[in-house]
Amino acid sequence: MIRTVATKPYDDQKPGTSGLRKKVPVFQQQNYVENFIQSVFDCLEGFEGKTLVIGGDGRYFNREVIQIALRMAAANGFGKVMVGQGGILSTPAASNIIRKYGAFGGLVLSASHNPGGPHEDFGIKYNASNGGPAPEKLTDAIFAKTKTIASYKIADFADVDLDTVGTFSAGGISVEVIDPVADYAALMESLFDFAAIRKMFASGFTMAFDAMHAVTGPYAVEILEKRLGAKPGSVRNFVPLPDFGGHHPDPNLVHAKKLYDLMMSAKAPDFGAASDGDGDRNLIIGRGIFVTPSDSLAMLAANARHAPGYAGGLKGIARSMPTSGAADRVAAKLGVGMYETPTGWKFFGNLLDAGMATICGEESAGTGSDHVREKDGLWAVLLWLNILAARQEPVKAIVEKHWAEYGRNYYSRHDYEGVETDAANRLVSALRAKLSSLRGQSFRGLTVETADDFSYLDPVDQSVSSNQGIRVLFEGGSRVVFRLSGTGTSGATLRVYIERYEPDAAKHGIETQEALADLIAAAEDIAGIRAATGMDAPTVIT
Ligand code: G16
C-alpha cells in the first residue's frame, strides 16, 4: 500500500559541499529524512521503472534510513533498488555501481570523515546517473523544494533483509542486495598491474593500511591481502563499526596519528595508507615521509603511465582551488590541460564527463580519476602501489626526485573548528570588503600581488559559482586562501590554506610550518583570526 503523508518543511536542509550533513538527532526528527528524500525525488524526472542505488558507510542510523529510502523509492515509482549487503557501499563503489549497471542515480548515506554514533553525524547525498554528486543546480533545487514540501509518498512493507545477498520483491519493486566489494575489486583489477604488485608483496614489501573501523575494511582485506598478497594483518581496524570505534574516521595526521608514528619509527613498513569513513579519501605515508595530498596528486599524475589503466596518458588534470599548484607543473610538463575548480568533488564531474580531465584531486585527501565520479581512497593507494612496483624505489626517493624536478610546494591547512557562525561570517565579510585595498600592501615582507574571491566558470556548461574562497596571492607565487567549510555540523569551520613554492632543491628539507612561518603570520595580520575567533591557534593543522 502506498500512503501520501502530510508533512511540514524544515528550513535547514541545504545540501553543503557534499550533500546534507547533520547530527543524528536532527535526522531523527519526525519526517526529516522523508522530507529530504522526497525533495530529491521531486526534483528528478523520468525515473519511473528505473534503478536506484542505495549504499552507506555503515555508520549509526544507516540501516534505518535505508529502509525508509527503500519504501519511498517503491512508492515514488522506481522499478528496482540495488543496495549493498549490510547497507554497505563505499562512496566510490556506489559511484561504480551506478555507472556499471546504468542506474538512474543513487543515494549515498554518509557523513564521510565525520564521527558516527547516536550523537554524531549522518548525511544523505544524491548522485546522478554519471555516478557523481548532484551538480549545484540540482542541489539548489532540492533545497528550494525542502522549504515548501507538504507531503511525501511511502509504501508499507516489512524491513528488507539487508544481510543476505539476493533479489527480493518488496512493495512491488525488486530489491537486489549485492556484494559491496566484488564489482569494485574487478574495476581496480582492470586499472592496475595486480601481477606486478603481487610480485612486490611476494618479495617482502610491507604495508600498513588503516581502515579506521570504517567502510574500506572489507575492500582493503579483499584487495590488498587476498588478491595482492599483502601479509595478513597489513589491514588494520578493518571491521566497519557504527561509531568507528569512537574515533574520527578522518585520515589526516591528527586522527591517523598512530599510523603516522609507526611510519616515522624504526619499525615502519615500506608503505602506510589510510582511508576515511566512506572510503573516498586517502592518506599516503612512506617510510619516514608524509606525502601531502596536493603532492600526492602531482606525483600520481606524473607517474600514472606506469599503471595499465593510464598507460595511454592523461587528458588533463583538475584540482580544487585551495589545492597546491604542484599538479599544475606536472600538467604543464605533460602538455595537458589544467583546471582549477571550487572545493567539492561535484565540480569535477563535468570535466570528467567531457573527457577534459583524467585525474583530479583536492588538498583534503581526495584523489581520483575518470574510472568513477567520486574521489577514491583505495584507488589512490593502489596507484601508489603500482608506481612503487614499477619504479622499485622507496616513496621517499620518489617524492624527493619529484621535488628536485618540479620544485616543492610547501603547503599546510590550518582549521579553526567550532567557531561561532556569526563571528566566522563577519571575518569573511570583513576580508571581502578589503580585497581591493590589499593589492600592493606588504605583510611580513611579502607583497600582495592580487586578492580576490574565487569565482568559477564551468568550461562545459558555462555555469558560474562565485564566492568560493578568498585568495591572497603574493609576489613570487606564495598564497593564502581563506574559506568556510561547507561540511561541518556544529558552528563554523574556518580553513586557512597556506602555500609557498620553492624551486631550489637545496631548500627542500625545511620543516613545513617553519617554511611557511612568514605566510602564517601574514594570514593573521590580514584576517585578524585570533581576535575574530577568540582562538589562539588552529584546532587542526594538516
Ligand atoms: C571538505 C573538503 C573538500 C571536500 C569536502 C567533501 O569540504 O575541504 O575538499 O570535497 O569536504 O569531502 P567528503 O566527501 O570526503 O566529505 P569543506 O567544505 O568542509 O571544506
Side-chain angles (χ1 to χ4, degrees):
M1 197 184 81
I2 294 174
R3 285 183 294 134
T4 300
V5 182
T7 187
K8 289 207 181 83
Y10 288 91
D11 61 6
D12 63 347
Q13 296 195 311
K14 184 176 170 53
T17 317
S18 236
L20 180 67
R21 289 202 186 148
K22 299 281 175 196
K23 294 285 176 209
V24 167
V26 174
F27 272 104
Q28 286 170 327
Q29 295 174 91
Q30 194 183 21
N31 297 339
Y32 196 88
V33 167
E34 290 84 346
N35 278 13
F36 188 71
I37 294 178
Q38 188 65 52
S39 301
V40 171
F41 291 166
D42 285 349
C43 292
L44 306 176
E45 268 172 34
F47 57 77
E48 289 74 18
K50 304 232 167 101
T51 301
L52 180 74
V53 172
I54 306 179
D57 61 10
R59 68 178 57 229
Y60 186 88
F61 208 41
N62 192 41
R63 285 174 180 259
E64 290 85 342
V65 174
I66 290 181
Q67 299 294 350
I68 295 171
L70 283 169
R71 294 188 180 104
M72 293 186 66
N76 278 274
F78 278 96
K80 176 176 170 180
V81 175
M82 294 174 83
V83 52
Q85 186 182 21
I88 293 251
L89 273 182
S90 77
T91 294
S95 181
N96 179 43
I97 297 290
I98 295 170
R99 296 167 65 78
K100 183 167 176 177
Y101 296 100
F104 185 87
L107 292 173
V108 178
L109 310 178
S110 168
S112 192
H113 51 286
N114 293 0
H119 300 288
E120 298 297 350
D121 293 3
F122 192 78
I124 306 180
K125 177 169 71 159
Y126 177 72
N127 281 28
S129 60
N130 70 347
E136 233 178 18
K137 210 169 55 195
L138 181 52
T139 54
D140 286 349
I142 293 168
F143 180 43
K145 184 71 207 181
T146 62
K147 290 193 279 194
T148 60
I149 187 164
S151 68
Y152 63 86
K153 282 195 234 159
I154 190 154
D156 286 322
F157 52 81
D159 277 2
V160 173
D161 172 10
L162 296 176
D163 294 309
T164 312
V165 169
T167 303
F168 310 92
S169 160
I173 63 163
S174 140
V175 178
E176 191 181 344
V177 178
I178 58 168
D179 174 343
V181 178
D183 292 292
Y184 178 82
L187 176 63
M188 293 300 112
E189 208 148 355
S190 75
L191 296 173
F192 301 117
D193 188 348
F194 270 37
I197 304 173
R198 250 195 307 270
K199 207 167 138 200
M200 178 171 74
F201 278 120
S203 67
F205 182 89
T206 51
M207 86 174 279
F209 178 88
D210 189 349
M212 304 188 94
H213 286 303
V215 80
T216 47
Y219 295 84
V221 170
E222 172 64 28
I223 297 173
L224 299 174
E225 294 188 6
K226 295 203 179 135
R227 298 197 187 197
L228 292 171
K231 247 191 353 234
S234 298
V235 180
R236 295 144 187 248
N237 302 321
F238 54 84
V239 179
L241 298 174
D243 66 349
F244 308 113
H247 300 296
H248 201 124
D250 190 353
N252 61 30
L253 298 186
V254 176
H255 299 299
K257 186 163 185 316
K258 254 193 169 159
L259 179 72
Y260 176 78
D261 289 344
L262 171 70
M263 295 308 297
M264 298 303 137
S265 77
K267 283 191 249 138
D270 294 303
F271 187 58
S275 191
D276 70 328
D278 63 333
D280 58 0
R281 297 184 175 204
N282 71 84
L283 170 70
I284 302 294
I285 316 180
R287 181 183 283 150
I289 190 163
F290 159 61
V291 187
T292 70
S294 295
D295 271 352
S296 180
L297 170 67
M299 291 163 196
L300 291 178
N303 291 283
R305 65 181 187 285
H306 291 299
Y310 307 94
L314 306 180
K315 293 170 185 146
I317 306 173
R319 65 164 171 85
S320 67
M321 179 275 282
T323 304
S324 96
D328 303 31
R329 297 174 190 278
V330 175
K333 186 143 194 180
L334 294 174
V336 298
M338 179 74 222
Y339 304 92
E340 186 179 36
T341 62
T343 295
W345 204 261
K346 61 188 173 192
F347 292 102
F348 294 134
N350 279 349
L351 297 170
L352 294 167
D353 285 348
M356 294 164 79
T358 305
I359 287 194
C360 311
E362 296 189 278
E363 54 64 42
S364 53
T367 337
S369 86
D370 55 2
H371 67 293
V372 288
R373 292 295 181 272
E374 289 278 4
K375 53 188 179 266
D376 188 344
L378 263 174
W379 170 91
V381 173
L382 290 165
L383 182 48
W384 264 103
L385 286 172
N386 196 145
I387 292 164
L388 292 167
R391 288 190 47 170
Q392 308 223 346
E393 287 173 284
V395 174
K396 196 161 196 267
I398 292 177
V399 170
E400 287 172 356
K401 283 184 188 170
H402 186 98
W403 289 340
E405 183 175 350
Y406 295 93
R408 176 171 180 183
N409 290 70
Y410 280 102
Y411 186 86
S412 184
R413 187 177 93 189
H414 290 195
D415 288 343
Y416 296 80
E417 297 168 311
V419 180
E420 202 236 312
T421 309
D422 288 344
N425 289 334
R426 275 198 302 274
L427 180 147
V428 170
S429 310
L431 268 173
R432 270 198 195 113
K434 65 177 179 193
L435 278 178
S436 53
S437 68
L438 285 176
R439 177 184 272 184
Q441 278 193 57
S442 280
F443 300 89
R444 312 276 166 161
L446 297 151
T447 306
V448 176
E449 193 171 277
T450 55
D452 67 1
D453 195 347
F454 182 58
S455 172
Y456 178 62
L457 169 67
D458 186 308
V460 179
D461 66 14
Q462 313 302 321
S463 59
V464 175
S465 304
S466 11
N467 299 333
Q468 297 293 329
I470 289 165
R471 308 189 282 189
V472 181
L473 298 147
F474 298 95
E475 286 171 4
S478 296
R479 65 173 189 165
V480 178
V481 173
F482 304 88
R483 69 174 274 284
L484 296 182
S485 157
T487 58
T489 55
S490 40
T493 294
L494 171 70
R495 304 202 195 282
V496 185
Y497 310 81
I498 308 127
E499 175 178 0
R500 178 164 86 79
Y501 178 63
E502 178 54 70
D504 183 356
K507 296 184 188 151
H508 287 170
I510 310 169
E511 194 276 323
T512 301
Q513 301 305 315
E514 198 185 314
L516 298 173
D518 286 357
L519 283 155
I520 294 168
E524 170 61 28
D525 293 351
I526 292 170
I529 303 165
R530 272 185 217 145
T533 64
M535 294 160 100
D536 278 344
T539 43
V540 177
I541 295 182
T542 50

Coordinates of all heavy atoms in Angstrom, one line a residue, residues 358-413:
T358 N 41.5 13.6 -16.6 CA 41.6 12.1 -16.3 C 41.7 12.0 -14.7 O 41.1 11.1 -14.1 CB 42.7 11.4 -17.0 OG1 42.6 11.6 -18.4 CG2 42.7 9.9 -16.7
I359 N 42.6 12.8 -14.2 CA 42.9 12.7 -12.7 C 42.6 14.0 -12.1 O 42.8 15.1 -12.6 CB 44.4 12.4 -12.6 CG1 44.6 10.9 -12.9 CG2 44.9 12.6 -11.1 CD1 46.0 10.3 -12.5
C360 N 41.9 13.9 -10.9 CA 41.5 15.0 -10.1 C 42.0 14.9 -8.7 O 42.1 13.8 -8.2 CB 40.0 15.2 -10.1 SG 39.2 15.0 -11.6
G361 N 42.0 16.0 -8.0 CA 42.4 15.9 -6.6 C 42.1 17.2 -5.8 O 42.0 18.3 -6.3
E362 N 42.0 16.9 -4.5 CA 41.8 18.0 -3.6 C 42.8 17.9 -2.4 O 43.2 16.8 -2.1 CB 40.4 18.0 -3.0 CG 39.3 18.1 -4.0 CD 37.9 18.3 -3.3 OE1 37.3 17.2 -2.9 OE2 37.5 19.4 -3.1
E363 N 43.1 19.1 -1.9 CA 44.1 19.1 -0.8 C 43.5 18.3 0.5 O 44.3 17.9 1.3 CB 44.4 20.5 -0.4 CG 43.3 21.4 0.0 CD 42.4 21.1 1.2 OE1 43.0 20.7 2.2 OE2 41.2 21.2 1.1
S364 N 42.2 18.1 0.5 CA 41.6 17.5 1.7 C 41.7 15.9 1.6 O 40.8 15.2 2.1 CB 40.2 17.9 1.8 OG 39.5 17.7 0.5
A365 N 42.7 15.4 0.9 CA 43.0 14.0 0.9 C 42.0 13.2 -0.1 O 41.8 12.1 0.1 CB 42.9 13.4 2.3
G366 N 41.6 13.9 -1.1 CA 40.8 13.3 -2.1 C 41.5 13.2 -3.4 O 42.0 14.3 -3.9
T367 N 41.6 12.0 -4.0 CA 42.2 11.9 -5.3 C 41.4 10.9 -6.1 O 40.8 10.0 -5.4 CB 43.7 11.4 -5.2 OG1 44.2 11.6 -3.9 CG2 44.6 12.0 -6.2
G368 N 41.3 11.0 -7.4 CA 40.5 10.1 -8.1 C 40.7 10.3 -9.6 O 41.5 11.1 -10.0
S369 N 40.0 9.5 -10.4 CA 40.1 9.6 -11.8 C 38.8 9.4 -12.5 O 37.8 9.3 -11.8 CB 41.2 8.6 -12.3 OG 40.6 7.4 -12.6
D370 N 38.8 9.3 -13.8 CA 37.6 9.1 -14.6 C 37.0 7.7 -14.5 O 36.1 7.4 -15.2 CB 37.8 9.6 -16.0 CG 38.9 8.8 -16.7 OD1 39.5 7.9 -16.1 OD2 39.2 9.1 -17.9
H371 N 37.6 6.9 -13.6 CA 37.0 5.5 -13.5 C 35.7 5.5 -12.8 O 34.9 4.6 -12.9 CB 38.0 4.6 -12.8 CG 38.3 4.9 -11.4 ND1 38.9 6.0 -11.0 CD2 37.9 4.2 -10.2 CE1 39.0 6.0 -9.6 NE2 38.4 4.9 -9.2
V372 N 35.5 6.5 -11.9 CA 34.2 6.7 -11.2 C 34.0 8.2 -11.2 O 34.8 9.0 -11.8 CB 34.1 6.1 -9.8 CG1 34.0 4.6 -9.9 CG2 35.3 6.6 -8.9
R373 N 33.0 8.7 -10.5 CA 32.8 10.1 -10.4 C 32.8 10.6 -9.0 O 32.1 11.5 -8.5 CB 31.4 10.5 -11.1 CG 31.4 10.3 -12.6 CD 32.4 11.3 -13.3 NE 32.4 11.1 -14.7 CZ 33.1 10.2 -15.4 NH1 33.9 9.4 -14.7 NH2 33.0 10.1 -16.7
E374 N 33.6 9.9 -8.2 CA 33.8 10.3 -6.8 C 35.3 10.2 -6.6 O 36.0 9.5 -7.3 CB 33.1 9.3 -5.8 CG 31.6 9.4 -5.8 CD 31.1 10.6 -4.9 OE1 32.0 11.3 -4.3 OE2 29.9 10.7 -4.8
K375 N 35.8 10.8 -5.5 CA 37.2 10.6 -5.2 C 37.3 9.1 -4.6 O 36.3 8.6 -4.2 CB 37.8 11.6 -4.2 CG 36.9 11.8 -3.0 CD 37.5 13.0 -2.2 CE 36.7 13.4 -1.0 NZ 35.7 14.4 -1.2
D376 N 38.5 8.6 -4.6 CA 38.5 7.1 -4.3 C 39.8 6.8 -3.6 O 40.9 6.8 -4.1 CB 38.5 6.4 -5.7 CG 38.3 4.9 -5.5 OD1 38.6 4.4 -4.4 OD2 38.0 4.2 -6.5
G377 N 39.6 6.5 -2.3 CA 40.7 6.3 -1.4 C 41.6 5.1 -1.8 O 42.8 5.2 -1.9
L378 N 41.0 4.0 -2.0 CA 41.8 2.8 -2.3 C 42.4 2.9 -3.7 O 43.5 2.3 -3.9 CB 40.9 1.5 -2.2 CG 41.0 0.7 -0.9 CD1 39.9 -0.4 -0.9 CD2 42.4 0.2 -0.7
W379 N 41.7 3.5 -4.6 CA 42.3 3.7 -5.9 C 43.6 4.4 -5.8 O 44.6 4.1 -6.4 CB 41.3 4.6 -6.7 CG 41.9 5.1 -8.0 CD1 41.8 4.4 -9.2 CD2 42.6 6.3 -8.3 NE1 42.4 5.2 -10.2 CE2 42.9 6.3 -9.6 CE3 43.0 7.3 -7.5 CZ2 43.6 7.4 -10.2 CZ3 43.7 8.4 -8.0 CH2 44.0 8.4 -9.4
A380 N 43.7 5.5 -4.9 CA 45.0 6.2 -4.8 C 46.0 5.3 -4.2 O 47.2 5.4 -4.6 CB 44.7 7.5 -3.9
V381 N 45.6 4.5 -3.2 CA 46.6 3.6 -2.6 C 47.1 2.6 -3.6 O 48.3 2.3 -3.7 CB 45.9 2.9 -1.4 CG1 46.8 1.8 -0.8 CG2 45.5 3.9 -0.3
L382 N 46.2 2.1 -4.4 CA 46.6 1.1 -5.5 C 47.5 1.7 -6.5 O 48.4 1.1 -7.0 CB 45.4 0.4 -6.1 CG 44.7 -0.5 -5.1 CD1 43.3 -0.9 -5.6 CD2 45.5 -1.8 -4.8
L383 N 47.2 3.0 -6.9 CA 48.0 3.6 -7.9 C 49.4 3.8 -7.3 O 50.4 3.6 -8.0 CB 47.4 4.9 -8.4 CG 48.1 5.7 -9.5 CD1 48.6 4.8 -10.7 CD2 47.3 6.9 -10.0
W384 N 49.5 4.2 -6.1 CA 50.8 4.4 -5.5 C 51.6 3.0 -5.5 O 52.7 2.9 -5.8 CB 50.7 4.9 -4.0 CG 50.9 6.4 -3.9 CD1 50.0 7.3 -3.8 CD2 52.2 7.1 -4.0 NE1 50.5 8.6 -3.7 CE2 51.9 8.5 -3.9 CE3 53.5 6.7 -4.1 CZ2 52.9 9.4 -3.9 CZ3 54.5 7.7 -4.2 CH2 54.2 9.0 -4.0
L385 N 50.8 2.0 -5.1 CA 51.5 0.6 -5.1 C 52.0 0.2 -6.5 O 53.0 -0.3 -6.6 CB 50.5 -0.4 -4.5 CG 50.2 -0.4 -3.0 CD1 49.1 -1.3 -2.7 CD2 51.5 -0.8 -2.2
N386 N 51.1 0.6 -7.5 CA 51.5 0.2 -8.8 C 52.8 1.0 -9.2 O 53.7 0.4 -9.8 CB 50.3 0.6 -9.8 CG 50.5 0.0 -11.2 OD1 49.5 -0.4 -11.8 ND2 51.7 -0.2 -11.7
I387 N 52.9 2.2 -8.8 CA 54.0 3.1 -9.2 C 55.3 2.5 -8.4 O 56.4 2.4 -9.0 CB 53.8 4.6 -8.8 CG1 52.7 5.1 -9.8 CG2 55.0 5.4 -8.9 CD1 52.1 6.4 -9.3
L388 N 55.1 2.2 -7.2 CA 56.2 1.6 -6.4 C 56.7 0.3 -7.0 O 57.9 0.1 -7.0 CB 55.8 1.4 -4.9 CG 55.5 2.7 -4.1 CD1 54.8 2.4 -2.8 CD2 56.8 3.4 -3.8
A389 N 55.7 -0.5 -7.4 CA 56.1 -1.8 -8.0 C 56.9 -1.5 -9.4 O 57.9 -2.2 -9.7 CB 54.9 -2.6 -8.3
A390 N 56.5 -0.5 -10.1 CA 57.1 -0.3 -11.4 C 58.5 0.4 -11.2 O 59.4 0.1 -11.9 CB 56.2 0.6 -12.3
R391 N 58.5 1.4 -10.3 CA 59.8 2.1 -10.1 C 60.8 1.5 -9.2 O 62.0 1.8 -9.2 CB 59.5 3.6 -9.7 CG 58.8 4.4 -10.8 CD 58.7 5.9 -10.5 NE 59.9 6.5 -10.0 CZ 60.1 7.8 -9.8 NH1 59.1 8.6 -10.2 NH2 61.2 8.3 -9.3
Q392 N 60.3 0.6 -8.4 CA 61.2 -0.1 -7.4 C 62.1 0.8 -6.6 O 63.3 0.6 -6.5 CB 62.0 -1.1 -8.2 CG 61.2 -2.0 -9.1 CD 61.6 -3.5 -9.0 OE1 62.7 -3.8 -8.5 NE2 60.7 -4.3 -9.5
E393 N 61.5 1.9 -6.2 CA 62.2 2.8 -5.3 C 61.3 3.1 -4.1 O 60.1 3.0 -4.2 CB 62.3 4.2 -6.1 CG 63.3 4.2 -7.2 CD 63.3 5.5 -7.9 OE1 62.3 5.7 -8.7 OE2 64.1 6.4 -7.7
P394 N 61.9 3.5 -3.0 CA 61.0 3.9 -1.8 C 60.2 5.2 -2.1 O 60.6 6.0 -3.0 CB 62.0 4.1 -0.7 CG 63.4 3.7 -1.2 CD 63.3 3.6 -2.7
V395 N 59.1 5.3 -1.4 CA 58.3 6.5 -1.5 C 59.2 7.8 -1.4 O 59.1 8.7 -2.2 CB 57.2 6.5 -0.4 CG1 56.4 7.8 -0.5 CG2 56.3 5.3 -0.6
K396 N 60.1 7.8 -0.4 CA 60.9 9.0 -0.1 C 61.7 9.4 -1.3 O 61.8 10.6 -1.7 CB 61.8 8.7 1.1 CG 62.4 9.9 1.7 CD 62.9 9.5 3.1 CE 63.2 10.8 3.9 NZ 64.5 11.3 3.9
A397 N 62.3 8.4 -2.0 CA 63.1 8.7 -3.2 C 62.2 9.3 -4.3 O 62.6 10.3 -5.0 CB 63.8 7.5 -3.7
I398 N 61.0 8.7 -4.4 CA 60.1 9.2 -5.5 C 59.7 10.7 -5.2 O 59.7 11.5 -6.1 CB 58.9 8.3 -5.6 CG1 59.3 6.9 -6.2 CG2 57.8 8.9 -6.5 CD1 58.2 5.9 -6.3
V399 N 59.4 11.0 -3.9 CA 59.0 12.3 -3.6 C 60.1 13.3 -3.8 O 60.0 14.4 -4.4 CB 58.5 12.3 -2.1 CG1 58.3 13.8 -1.6 CG2 57.3 11.5 -1.9
E400 N 61.3 12.9 -3.3 CA 62.4 13.9 -3.4 C 62.9 14.1 -4.8 O 63.2 15.3 -5.2 CB 63.6 13.4 -2.5 CG 63.2 13.6 -1.0 CD 64.2 13.0 0.0 OE1 65.1 12.3 -0.4 OE2 63.9 13.2 1.2
K401 N 62.8 13.1 -5.6 CA 63.1 13.3 -7.1 C 62.1 14.2 -7.7 O 62.4 15.0 -8.6 CB 63.2 11.9 -7.8 CG 64.5 11.2 -7.5 CD 64.6 9.9 -8.3 CE 65.8 9.1 -7.8 NZ 65.8 7.7 -8.4
H402 N 60.8 14.0 -7.3 CA 59.8 14.9 -7.9 C 60.0 16.3 -7.5 O 60.0 17.2 -8.4 CB 58.4 14.4 -7.3 CG 57.3 15.1 -8.0 ND1 56.5 14.6 -9.0 CD2 56.7 16.4 -7.8 CE1 55.6 15.5 -9.4 NE2 55.7 16.5 -8.6
W403 N 60.3 16.6 -6.3 CA 60.6 18.0 -5.9 C 61.8 18.5 -6.6 O 61.8 19.7 -7.0 CB 60.9 18.0 -4.4 CG 59.7 17.8 -3.5 CD1 58.4 17.9 -3.8 CD2 59.8 17.4 -2.1 NE1 57.6 17.6 -2.8 CE2 58.4 17.3 -1.7 CE3 60.8 17.1 -1.2 CZ2 58.1 17.0 -0.4 CZ3 60.4 16.8 0.1 CH2 59.1 16.7 0.5
A404 N 62.8 17.7 -6.8 CA 64.1 18.2 -7.5 C 63.7 18.5 -8.9 O 64.2 19.5 -9.5 CB 65.1 17.1 -7.4
E405 N 62.8 17.8 -9.5 CA 62.5 18.0 -10.9 C 61.5 19.2 -11.1 O 61.7 20.1 -12.0 CB 61.8 16.8 -11.5 CG 61.5 16.9 -13.0 CD 60.9 15.6 -13.6 OE1 61.0 14.6 -12.9 OE2 60.4 15.7 -14.7
Y406 N 60.5 19.3 -10.2 CA 59.4 20.3 -10.4 C 59.5 21.5 -9.4 O 58.8 22.4 -9.6 CB 58.1 19.6 -10.2 CG 57.7 18.6 -11.3 CD1 58.0 17.3 -11.1 CD2 57.2 19.0 -12.5 CE1 57.7 16.3 -12.0 CE2 56.8 18.1 -13.4 CZ 57.1 16.7 -13.2 OH 56.8 15.8 -14.2
G407 N 60.3 21.3 -8.4 CA 60.2 22.3 -7.3 C 59.3 21.8 -6.2 O 58.5 20.9 -6.5
R408 N 59.4 22.4 -5.0 CA 58.5 21.9 -3.9 C 57.4 23.0 -3.6 O 57.8 24.1 -3.4 CB 59.3 21.5 -2.7 CG 58.5 21.1 -1.5 CD 59.2 20.6 -0.3 NE 58.3 20.2 0.7 CZ 58.6 19.8 1.9 NH1 59.8 19.6 2.2 NH2 57.6 19.5 2.8
N409 N 56.2 22.6 -3.5 CA 55.1 23.5 -3.0 C 54.9 23.2 -1.5 O 54.2 22.2 -1.2 CB 53.8 23.2 -3.8 CG 53.9 23.7 -5.2 OD1 54.6 23.1 -6.0 ND2 53.2 24.8 -5.5
Y410 N 55.6 24.0 -0.7 CA 55.3 23.8 0.8 C 53.8 24.2 1.0 O 53.3 25.2 0.5 CB 56.2 24.8 1.6 CG 57.6 24.2 1.8 CD1 58.6 24.7 1.0 CD2 57.9 23.3 2.7 CE1 59.9 24.3 1.2 CE2 59.2 22.8 2.9 CZ 60.2 23.3 2.1 OH 61.4 22.8 2.3
Y411 N 53.2 23.3 1.8 CA 51.7 23.5 1.9 C 51.2 23.1 3.2 O 51.6 22.1 3.8 CB 51.0 22.6 0.8 CG 49.6 22.9 0.7 CD1 49.0 23.9 -0.1 CD2 48.7 22.1 1.4 CE1 47.7 24.1 -0.2 CE2 47.3 22.3 1.3 CZ 46.8 23.3 0.5 OH 45.5 23.6 0.5
S412 N 50.2 23.8 3.8 CA 49.6 23.4 5.0 C 48.2 24.0 5.1 O 47.9 25.1 4.5 CB 50.4 23.8 6.2 OG 49.8 23.4 7.4
R413 N 47.3 23.3 5.8 CA 46.0 23.9 6.0 C 45.8 24.0 7.5 O 46.0 23.1 8.3 CB 44.9 22.9 5.4 CG 43.5 23.5 5.5 CD 42.5 22.6 4.8 NE 41.9 21.8 5.8 CZ 41.1 20.8 5.5 NH1 40.8 20.5 4.3 NH2 40.5 20.0 6.5

